Amino acid sequence: MDILIVEDEPVVARQLEETLHQEAYKTVAAGSVAAAKHAMQEQNFDLILLDWNLPDGDGITLLHGWRSQKICIPVLVLSANITVDDRVHALNAGADDYLCKPHSSIELLARVRALLRRDAPLKSSKLNADDVVVDIIAREVGVAGAPVKLSLAEFDLLTLLMQHQGIVLTRFQLNEHISKDFDRISVSNLIDVHIRNIRKKLDRPELIQTVRGVGYTIKA
């Protein structure tokens, strides 16, 4: 996943990059409106983190311009402007989410993952890994052309892993994806149980790789 960070404070931009790199996201930093426009011309991005106040303009005007050009990349606005009117203004301009500064890394990553998850199914209705195929719209799984029945949680976990092939997802991230009981996420072993069941049902034990002490991944 490629993320554009539009932030004019070098220290803040570097902190954002370090946080995102820990989760294996690729980043490009732009410190101005002009630099952000140039980056968008040079590369495709999956998500944009956008500061409001920039040295050569403001992020909300930049965002409005992108939306008028039918650029539909998810945008998370990061701003010290904390009033309700500010948030409403950003959302009306086309922002998908709004996070006030200062913010915690945990909350930032949760917002990033939520936006990427929401956008991922729109890119393709079918995901492939070897001879395993997941149809997101039909909510069907097939192995070598034969249908396989998974539970709701198993299907959601397999889909998330296939959407992020080559990226190690932590047990916390996977648990967060399927659980609303946030108090138990850090101590539950439910993910390990679900992964074991998925491997057994697919009869492809090597498809989902265990990264000891971290989580799971499907190799790209």
Side-chain angles (χ1 to χ4, degrees), residues 1-2 20-26 46 113 116 160-170 173-174 208-209 211 214-220:
M1 294 290 181
D2 295 301
L20 293 167
H21 290 170
Q22 290 174 4
E23 299 297 317
Y25 296 119
K26 299 177 182 177
D46 299 287
R113 288 193 294 268
L116 291 174
L160 185 64
L161 286 164
M162 293 186 70
Q163 287 172 338
H164 296 80
Q165 291 182 48
I167 297 174
V168 179
L169 298 179
T170 66
Q173 289 173 311
L174 294 169
I208 302 175
Q209 303 287 315
V211 181
V214 182
Y216 297 95
T217 187
I218 292 177
K219 291 185 177 180

Side-chain angles (χ1 to χ4, degrees), residues 49-185:
L49 303 185
L50 180 62
D51 187 25
W52 189 313
N53 299 306
L54 297 167
D56 56 345
D58 70 87
I60 303 307
T61 300
L62 177 62
L63 171 59
H64 184 75
W66 282 334
R67 295 307 190 224
S68 67
Q69 298 170 36
K70 307 302 181 183
I71 296 174
C72 298
I73 301 168
V75 173
L76 170 57
V77 172
L78 306 176
S79 177
N81 300 337
I82 62 174
T83 69
V84 172
D85 287 343
D86 290 330
R87 294 197 295 272
V88 170
H89 182 46
L91 294 170
N92 285 340
D96 296 271
D97 200 356
Y98 190 101
L99 187 58
C100 295
K101 297 178 179 179
H103 51 72
S104 72
S105 296
I106 293 175
E107 183 176 11
L108 171 70
L109 290 172
R111 302 287 187 100
V112 166
R113 288 193 294 268
L115 288 173
L116 291 174
R117 283 199 304 266
R118 188 177 73 184
D119 190 53
L122 301 177
K123 297 177 180 178
S124 175
S125 64
K126 292 186 178 181
L127 303 168
N128 299 75
D130 296 331
D131 60 351
V132 177
V133 179
V134 173
D135 189 322
I136 297 173
I137 295 177
R139 295 191 67 83
E140 295 175 345
V141 179
V143 178
V148 175
K149 288 191 70 67
L150 299 180
S151 71
L152 177 63
E154 291 164 359
F155 180 89
D156 288 342
L157 285 176
L158 179 61
T159 298
L160 185 64
L161 286 164
M162 293 186 70
Q163 287 172 338
H164 296 80
Q165 291 182 48
I167 297 174
V168 179
L169 298 179
T170 66
R171 286 178 174 81
F172 186 91
Q173 289 173 311
L174 294 169
N175 221 333
E176 183 186 48
H177 184 61
I178 64 169
S179 177
K180 301 302 181 185
D181 188 355
F182 295 105
D183 292 332
R184 297 186 58 194
I185 281 179

